[in-house]
Amino acid sequence: MSEPMSEPMSDVLDRSIRFGSNAGQPLTRRDGIAKVTGTATFAADNLPDGLLHAVYLPATIARGRVTKLDVDAARAHPGVVAVYTPENRPPLQGDPDDKPTMFSFRIEVLQDDTVRYAGQPIALVLGETLEAATEGARLLNPDYDMQTPRTGLDDGDPFDVEPGGFGRPAGTTHGDIDAGHAAAAKAIDVTYRTASQYHNAMETHAIVAQWDGDQLLLDVPTQALNMTCAAYAYFFGIPVENVTVRSPYLGGGFGSKAIPVGPSVLAILAARASGRPVKLMLTRQQMFGPVAHRGATRQRLRLGIGDDAALTVLDHDSLSETSTFDDFHEPAANASQGLYAAGAIRSSHRGVRLDIGTPGPMRAPGEASGAAALECAMDEMAEAAGMDPLEFRLKNYAETEPGTGKPYSSKALRDCYLQGAERFGWAGRPMAPRQMQDEDGLLTGWGMGTALFPAPMFAAEARATLRADGSALVETSAADMGQGSWTSLAQIAADSLGLSMDQLEFHAGHSSLPDGGVAGGSGHTATAGGALHAAGRDTIRQLGELAAGDPASPLYGAGNASLVAQHGRLFVEGDPGRGESFTDILSRAGVPELIGSGKAARPPEAGQRHAMYSHGAVFAEVKVDPELCQMRVSRLVGAFAAGRIINPKLAESQLMGGMIWGIGFALHEEAKHDPRTGRILNADFAGYHVPVNADVCGLEVVTVHEDDPFVNPLGIKGVGEIGIVGTVGAIGNAIRHATGHRIRRFPIRIEDLLTA
Ligand code: MOS
């Protein structure tokens, strides 16, 4: 991570920031053609000379010991080059139980013969071909000493999560909880369950590792290039500058590619031991285990309202699964901290240790699972109050952040509610459930849910080089995991320099570039974009000084503060005639190029002054077959306010993607364990379902205008994750409205309705 900038940005909008003709345009992603024509080079497409293929053997039990591996059989197979087990695994310089970066977990790299979860790597085979390595791994034919696995939330003893950084969320209490319960005229006490879900980006984890002496070159998809360098430098005992990461394209990240993972370390280790480049790519099945997942939760919500329907208490306790050897607890109860103006709010997190891989961040960690439960509980409370669910939310609208009393940096949630409701036609909703049927006899229901997601910023750096010909090169190691950041970031950079997109060369996705920070937390556009904008302005500032100090320039003597860069010209604000082109300034000065640099980070005091979230409201229509109980989401309307939208087309695509994940969360995604072995039974796309085109009917996104003067100088929040957040509850509530059945678990299955 880069250091916080030395001169912190003001936490109020920098009024001198002007966007030009690029930001705000619905441009098509720059890498789209390369991706759809197959010319984009993903990590696994790299095939250096002398490449060996690595295949690891995943444990098929969840708890126990490996007692036998037929290493001789594997070694004897033609084309097998090496077999690594805990007995001969070459040493690492850094302890794999350590956490070298902010987003690290203990990794499994054949430390010993213990099996802690199904899918854990228990041996690695290196082959001249993928087929040889695969067959070698098969021939290892392991024996186990198996113990009874614990894979369900009821299989362990709950403990209070000890807060302390990443994956250990703190609980909060505001107001008098007991008094809030006591003051309730009506109350509900409900428990919701969410299933464990696995990151299944289109591109599975892959790595190609090449050593040259103690220089390490990695082709590996990552959401945080420089952090990845730091992690692997630590494990291999080399200076961070010796590690180069190339990550130009990712086929999805979802949070799983923000963390160092054991299989990658094994591949790098095998490359060093063999003296040859090594490629390892996880199969779809192998995605279920060593590369994190969204942990299952059981959430108890106790809500109470007074006679006026104002919430007197919102008490949210979340129990979540984690592994036996590390901590990541889904911060689900966080969802209740910042949304509704209850008299008393408590969020608490408890954990259960199970024989599973350590969970981790997965798109909208915390809020996705937490709001699924909260938004259904709010629907239940509204029903108990005899109120329309939207009216009930407006009644409990928070004008300042509950508990802290902090003002929101901006909050256009009311507009989201109203615009979303209008577009959806919510006003015609009958209050009672099971009132609507369509012409095919399908039960029809309407539900809604609120979305919120924090608007974080990480630290990033960038460089902008203006050339004598008037073009520019901008550089940052930013990651584009499919969200389109290479396009929206370039739009920001072009505006900061007063250039058009075709005058801009944009380099990213390589660790030798200035540290673009982490593409996570929906904060990448704000973070890397902030750094790029600062770099562009630094370049233009230098250009302005050249001109203002040159008697031959029409800008001679003009103060830098009054200068505007647009269309390749620098001119005095309000007096466009007084100015000249970048090329004239540079050529007269005999300067071949100007290099500006920029940093971005949020100064801590900004977060102390304001609560910062994106918001949204999602409205869902479902159709349910009254006999077969098949469910379909027939319409979804999401209205979101996320500050300044840099690229409406890409933002809409992100929000839609989130809403589609919301459909999957509500109706499809669930990893199921075999109770005997602990193995995941549906570890592939045949059994682990995600929404496909046929599951997605009418989908509409409304982006609600929102000016945020405080969140960061560019006024950008984030759109990557929030789409999931409101959608899940909206669908659950719509199913209740259609059928009269309240299902308190996700995903909602046919059998839940059949037996309701
Ligand atoms: Mo994410 S779960 O911030 O990639």
Side-chain angles (χ1 to χ4, degrees), residues 223 253-256 258 361-365 481 519-522 721:
Q223 296 171 233
F254 303 165
S256 181
M362 182 155 150
R363 213 159 173 223
M481 52 183 151
S522 300
E721 297 170 272

Side-chain angles (χ1 to χ4, degrees), residues 108-143:
E108 297 74 46
V109 283
L110 311 178
Q111 285 99 316
D112 55 42
D113 62 9
T114 312
V115 177
R116 297 175 182 85
Y117 61 91
Q120 176 187 321
I122 55 170
L124 186 83
V125 177
L126 215 46
E128 293 288 351
T129 62
L130 177 62
E131 291 75 11
T134 304
E135 181 61 6
R138 195 190 65 80
L139 290 167
L140 286 167
N141 200 20
D143 281 343

